[in-house]
Amino acid sequence: MMLGASELLRRLGAHVTGMVWRLGFATRFFLLILKQSGPSFRRFHLTVREMYFSGVQSLIIIIVSGLFVGMVLGLQGYDTLVRYGSSEALGVLVALSLVRELGPVVAGLLFASRAGSAITAEIGLMKATEQLDAMEMMAVDPIARVVAPRFWAGVISMPLLAALFSAMGVFGGYLVGVRMIGVDEGSFWSQMSAAVDFVDDVLNGVIKSFVFGMAITWIAVFEGYDAPPTAEGVSGATTRTVVTASLWVLALDFVLTALMFRGN
Amino acid sequence: MMSRKTLDLWVGVFVAIGFGALLFLALKVANLSWLSGAGTYQISAKFDNIGGLKVRAPVKSSGVVVGRVREIHFDNQTFEAVVTMSIDSKYQFPRDTSAKILTSGLLGEQFIGISAGGDTVNLKDGDSLKITQSAVVLENLISQFLYSKAAEGGDKKQ
């Protein structure tokens, strides 16, 4: 019995040590990316190429889900607002919820599962097939050549995707609210533009999505680089990327919201 | 593998769409300021209190939208709110038309209701409405009601 307890404690200790070690490794990895990110801007086509994979290929899913989220918000919001005779506030409801929360968060979750998983799988497979070692052998730094461009491509793409998601959502809300249900068009836009502030809402949403983009791609490239060089290891790392990145998006969202919108 | 030119094109399209979305959010969703197009004329009206009237709120006559509120500012000479409205040129109103600020529903948005007078001369661009009625402020209404109730109660006691 005593032995069982000590064994349990030992495992707990090993788990915590492993976690702290990984956190330290991830932080050092992050600093290394920043230090080695010169080439990804000097040879910008490397970053552009990765933006194609993480940004352009995420366009369809972002546009379609943004549109549907906006349309659902329009229907649900109208259903509730019409009880209080203020269905004209539909524009405010749709725009604020998208710009402040749903745009950055849902786009972040989609980005984590669409682009983050692909980044992890790619880097993990490169490691498993010893391509990264081969690069090092040729005096090419794999962090500068492979990791940093993917990181910056994700950081640049994410705010654009989130803005696109919000814009498509507002358009979806407009389609349902004004075109389908028949809320007054002028009131829809006027109340929206009166209630939504550029700095407080739109710009803070952009900052949020920028932070999410950083967190997601950091996790994705780290998990890929850290993956055990086996098929099983790569698949496990891909799963971990999606789970960890999604959790971090939600946790960071709470922290950022608490910091930004405390006043109102 | 895709050629570099095609790749650059796609990324360019992506970035353009992204910034377009941001521009849409900034202009249309946040603080839009569309200049009103042709086919409208401006009239203004002074109100003691505009309540919660917003720019781009509808201007209705007999319940039909005939225009939009274009601008609201405070006149520091007369201490009144000046509301400028863009009215569709299709609709012409007599010079003695009156305007009042109405609310759709109990908690709904506010709009301007204008009712035509009997003058034979129509309003021109830049004219101002002379007869106006301010927004009903709920607090004033309640306090008036309470005062009248209190006065009633006082009468009964005597």
Side-chain angles (χ1 to χ4, degrees):
Chain A
M1 194 62 213
M2 275 306 284
L3 203 79
S6 75
E7 172 69 14
L8 219 66
L9 280 176
R10 199 189 61 74
R11 273 191 200 168
L12 181 72
H15 189 71
V16 170
T17 315
M19 255 167 46
V20 172
W21 187 87
R22 259 174 80 83
L23 191 68
F25 185 43
T27 311
R28 278 187 58 194
F29 188 69
F30 182 64
L31 295 176
L32 212 60
I33 294 174
L34 292 186
K35 206 178 131 200
Q36 299 290 341
S37 50
S40 42
F41 289 104
R42 250 179 285 125
R43 294 170 64 198
F44 198 63
H45 69 94
L46 289 176
T47 311
V48 167
R49 187 175 166 276
E50 299 311 326
M51 273 175 77
Y52 177 79
F53 292 113
S54 57
V56 177
Q57 296 199 329
S58 308
L59 271 180
I60 298 294
I61 188 170
I62 289 289
I63 288 174
V64 172
S65 20
L67 201 63
F68 276 107
V69 166
M71 294 203 301
V72 169
L73 271 179
L75 278 175
Q76 296 280 19
Y78 180 79
D79 203 40
T80 309
L81 286 173
V82 79
R83 287 187 211 175
Y84 305 102
S86 48
S87 56
E88 286 83 7
L90 186 65
V92 182
L93 183 129
V94 171
L96 275 186
S97 40
L98 276 164
V99 170
R100 281 188 172 187
E101 289 298 326
L102 287 174
V105 171
V106 179
L109 295 178
L110 290 171
F111 186 74
S113 34
R114 172 67 189 74
S117 59
I119 291 172
T120 305
E122 201 182 1
I123 296 179
L125 212 64
M126 277 180 158
K127 192 185 174 193
T129 51
E130 293 170 352
Q131 290 182 49
L132 297 183
D133 295 338
M135 273 183 190
E136 235 160 335
M137 209 83 87
M138 293 185 289
V140 176
D141 188 348
I143 290 184
R145 180 65 180 77
V146 173
V147 175
R150 281 171 177 73
F151 176 76
W152 288 112
V155 171
I156 296 168
S157 301
M158 184 50 214
L160 297 175
L161 289 173
L164 187 62
F165 188 95
S166 299
M168 287 315 293
V170 170
F171 181 64
Y174 163 80
L175 279 184
V176 166
V178 176
R179 295 280 143 201
M180 207 174 101
I181 299 174
V183 174
D184 183 72
E185 187 172 350
S187 304
F188 183 86
W189 292 115
S190 73
Q191 297 217 351
M192 186 193 292
S193 54
V196 180
D197 187 74
F198 181 68
V199 176
D200 273 352
D201 301 318
V202 177
L203 221 57
N204 275 353
V206 172
I207 292 171
K208 266 188 180 182
S209 52
F210 180 76
V211 173
F212 294 166
M214 236 171 192
I216 293 163
T217 33
W218 177 21
I219 290 167
V221 291
F222 174 70
E223 288 288 358
Y225 204 78
D226 189 47
T230 56
E232 209 182 5
V234 174
S235 82
T238 312
T239 312
R240 267 204 308 282
T241 294
V242 177
V243 174
T244 320
S246 304
L247 287 177
W248 270 105
V249 164
L250 296 172
L252 280 172
D253 183 47
F254 173 73
V255 174
L256 287 173
T257 308
L259 285 176
M260 285 168 176
F261 303 131
R262 203 171 30 189
N264 36 13
Chain B
M1 193 57 227
M2 199 176 279
S3 84
R4 180 134 152 219
K5 267 186 186 168
T6 337
L7 211 123
D8 283 351
L9 177 73
W10 274 107
V11 174
V13 167
F14 163 61
V15 173
I17 292 176
F19 276 105
L22 208 59
L23 205 69
F24 168 77
L25 290 180
L27 290 179
K28 190 93 178 160
V29 178
N31 295 313
L32 92 169
S33 53
W34 293 129
L35 298 169
S36 73
T40 62
Y41 61 98
Q42 325 289 316
I43 54 172
S44 65
K46 287 182 176 175
F47 294 94
D48 290 331
N49 190 338
I50 58 160
L53 192 73
K54 303 244 161 58
V55 173
R56 272 178 67 84
V59 177
K60 294 182 185 178
S61 185
S62 312
V64 179
V65 179
V66 295
R68 300 261 171 223
V69 173
R70 183 183 154 86
E71 197 209 336
I72 301 171
H73 71 265
F74 185 68
D75 186 344
N76 215 174
Q77 302 295 313
T78 58
F79 304 109
E80 283 176 316
V82 180
V83 177
T84 312
M85 296 164 262
S86 300
I87 308 289
D88 202 318
S89 307
K90 272 190 298 192
Y91 308 108
Q92 297 290 333
F93 290 93
R95 223 170 42 178
D96 58 345
T97 295
S98 64
K100 51 181 158 182
I101 297 178
L102 301 166
T103 310
S104 58
L106 190 58
L107 299 165
E109 48 131 15
Q110 287 187 307
F111 63 95
I112 294 183
I114 55 176
S115 32
D119 207 301
T120 48
V121 183
N122 279 341
L123 281 167
K124 294 191 308 291
D125 185 55
D127 279 357
S128 66
L129 300 177
K130 299 287 177 289
I131 314 158
T132 62
Q133 189 183 318
S134 288
V136 174
V137 179
L138 212 57
E139 285 87 339
N140 292 348
L141 211 64
I142 291 169
S143 65
Q144 272 174 16
F145 174 73
L146 288 178
Y147 274 123
S148 66
K149 271 287 170 197
E152 262 178 43
D155 288 344
K156 270 177 196 166
K157 270 177 201 163
Q158 279 169 1

